[in-house]
Every structure is written in C-alpha cells, then in structure tokens.
Amino acid sequence: MKRILLIFYSQSGEADRIATVFREEMAAAGHLVTECRLRPEADYPYPWRSIGRFFDVMPETQLGEPPPIRRPVFDPDADYDLVVLVSPVWFLSPALPVQGFFRRPEARVLRDKPVVTVTVSRAMWQNGSEAVKRLLAAAGARHVDNIVVTHAGSPVATLVSTPRTLLSGKAGRLMGIFPEAGVAGIDHARIRALAAVAARRLAAPGPVPGSLLAGDPAVAVRRWLIGPELLGWYAFHGWAHLIRGLGRLGRGPRAIGVWGFALFLVAMILIGLPLTLVGTPILYVAGRRWLNHTARRLAAPTGEAVAAKA
C-alpha cells in the first residue's frame, strides 16, 4: 500500500470528475488516498454569466499573478509516495488557484516527491502543461508522468461549445453541429484505464523509479496545433501586459482593455483561423523536424504512445 496525495482544482466539475476517477482506482488497488480540493479565497463563479468577468482573469492567469487561495487541508510534512495534480487550463495557462497553490508554504510537500500531472483543457493544453512543469521544477518535485485530457470535438468546434458552457452552463449539443461540452465518455474511460495502470504499477515494492505510464496513451501531441498555440500565447501575453497596465482585477479603466481583448479574439477566430488552416500544412512540411522535437518535449516525461505520433 502506498500513500497518495491527490490535489486538484475544479470550477466546472470536469477536473473534479477526473480526480474522482484517480481516487477510485487508487483506492481500489489498496492505496491510501488523501484528497485536497484547492479553493480560492474568492470563488470564481460557474457559469461565469458575464463575458467581462470571464475575460478579466486572463491577464493574471497569463502573467502568473494568482490571488490567494485558502490553506490546503493536508499535512505538508507527511511522507507521501506519490502526488497527483489535476490542473485545468485557463487562457493557455494553469488555472489561477493551481498557480496560487505553488505560492503557499504547503507546496513544500512536492519537494523530492514523484508527481503525476493531469492537464484538463479545451484543445490547446501545451503551454498550460509546460507552465506546470516549470512550477514543479521550481518546487523541487520529480515529474514522472503527464496525462492530457481534452474536451470532446474538434479544436474548431470547441471554440463554440466550450465558451458557451463556461458562460451559460449549457453543455448539450448546439444546433446538431457542435458537440456536447466537456470531456467525452471515451476519454473518461481512457483516464480510468490509465489510473488503473498507474495504481497497479505503483503497488510494486520500493519508491517510484520513473514513469508509471510510459508507452500508454497518456498524452498525444497534435503537431498541427503547435504553431497556432504558440502564436496565441504570444498574443495573449501581449494583451495581458496591456490590460494589467490599466489596473488591477475588477478596476474600471481595465474594462476597456478586457473588451478590446474579447473583440480581438473574435477577429482572430474569424480572420486568423482561416489563415492558420492555410499556413499550418506549410509549417508541417517545412518545419517537421522542429515540430517533432517540440512534440517530444511537450510529451515528456511520459512520452507519446506509438499510435499517437500521427
């Protein structure tokens, strides 16, 4: 029996359901699981209902300036054998409460501990996952596996289905075209299978030597999204600095920048998306070596399953 610390933040309930899968599979294998839900001092609403309030958190999310979170309820000095961290992605970065956890003294629990990360995202998870890796490295953790789970539907379709559910709470199919929002049942089954594999391999005597999931379908990198997400990150980062310069979260003048960013996103989708669809095949051919190198870095430490490298 091993001792597992399961840390997660969930606003919409998606990360909560993923964390529940891990708790159930680890407990079924006989491991002792301590579960910790991260809670911000001022809760974020779900659904957001307000476009302005939704986009207002983008600058601090991008710039790594999280508001305080409540004291996590676990013993940070306990000798856990494994930490599982479930992190949603907001605006191409880890959710603010996850970032806030790394600023708490309780984050010392991660030092020298093997950590499995689970990134929950619409489609563009890469920068959010890489940011968590950097936070783990700064905390002295040993990152052994990363699992990625994305919302149902194509990256284009989720540009409609995901914002719709975040703003309204409506998750059903829209107009018979757009998929149900959130993680599909087949992905929940994949995560359960991965959690079961990790739990079984964790039962081996001794400390965790390295990846528990190497060779399993824990992460698949869509190479055609690498370029668009990188461009999106630079655009978001520039807007984040601009809006942050207009004032703190919720301040009046800042609303001008927030709405400007919202309009920019609409323009980027209407104009930038067609250009991206044309330019991406060119990048895929001309920059194939760079794309493969980047994909290997993104998939580390677990690595892609062979079937995922298409």
Side-chain angles (χ1 to χ4, degrees):
M1 179 185 75
K2 299 290 176 65
R3 300 182 67 184
I4 316 299
L5 176 61
L6 174 60
I7 304 172
F8 71 97
Y9 170 72
S10 186
Q11 182 196 25
S12 67
E14 287 289 356
D16 193 345
R17 287 186 282 274
I18 298 296
T20 297
V21 168
F22 266 86
R23 185 190 68 236
E24 291 173 349
E25 292 301 323
M26 291 291 178
H31 302 302
L32 180 63
V33 181
T34 298
E35 187 175 84
C36 174
R37 177 193 289 267
L38 301 177
R39 299 184 183 276
E41 287 189 356
D43 283 335
Y44 298 99
Y46 181 78
W48 288 89
R49 301 291 183 193
S50 164
I51 292 176
R53 184 166 53 186
F54 172 60
F55 286 112
D56 203 20
V57 302
M58 185 278 291
E60 281 70 24
T61 304
Q62 265 284 312
L63 300 177
E65 299 176 356
I69 67 168
R70 301 177 193 176
R71 185 179 67 82
V73 184
F74 63 85
D75 179 4
D77 297 310
D79 189 19
Y80 295 103
D81 297 290
L82 180 72
V83 179
V84 178
L85 174 63
V86 184
S87 172
V89 172
W90 290 4
F91 298 106
L92 309 183
S93 297
L96 282 173
V98 174
Q99 296 188 48
F101 166 70
F102 283 90
R103 295 195 172 194
R104 295 276 319 184
E106 289 82 3
R108 67 180 182 273
V109 73
L110 299 171
R111 181 162 297 279
D112 299 323
K113 296 292 191 303
V115 179
V116 172
T117 57
V118 186
T119 302
V120 186
S121 174
R122 179 187 66 83
M124 292 185 170
W125 54 268
Q126 300 162 11
N127 285 286
S129 175
E130 290 297 286
V132 169
K133 289 179 185 179
R134 291 191 293 271
L135 290 169
L136 288 172
R142 186 161 58 89
H143 193 195
V144 295
D145 280 299
N146 61 328
I147 300 171
V148 173
V149 56
T150 55
H151 290 187
S154 72
V156 176
T158 54
L159 285 171
V160 174
S161 60
T162 297
R164 172 178 175 252
T165 191
L166 288 174
L167 290 169
S168 71
K170 297 177 180 179
R173 289 180 62 86
L174 178 63
M175 302 187 311
I177 300 173
F178 298 98
E180 290 187 15
V183 179
I186 189 171
D187 257 323
H188 276 285
R190 177 177 67 91
I191 298 304
R192 185 171 293 279
L194 289 170
V197 169
R200 185 175 67 251
R201 293 176 179 172
L202 188 62
V208 178
S211 173
L212 296 168
L213 297 169
D216 286 282
V219 53
V221 181
R222 291 175 172 175
R223 283 153 174 76
W224 71 273
L225 284 176
I226 291 176
E229 179 167 346
L230 185 61
L231 292 174
W233 184 88
Y234 279 112
F236 279 31
H237 212 63
W239 274 98
H241 280 288
L242 174 63
I243 296 170
R244 180 66 180 78
L246 295 174
R248 293 274 182 181
L249 192 69
R251 297 288 175 85
R254 173 176 164 130
I256 299 172
V258 169
W259 280 98
F261 173 68
L263 292 174
F264 164 78
L265 275 186
V266 173
M268 190 168 69
I269 292 170
L270 295 178
I271 300 172
L273 183 60
L275 293 176
T276 297
L277 293 177
V278 171
T280 296
I282 299 173
L283 175 62
Y284 194 84
V285 173
R288 192 176 186 88
R289 180 177 298 180
W290 174 78
L291 288 173
N292 286 332
H293 172 76
T294 303
R296 286 192 295 272
R297 174 173 56 80
L298 293 169
T302 302
E304 291 183 277
V306 174
K309 295 184 179 179

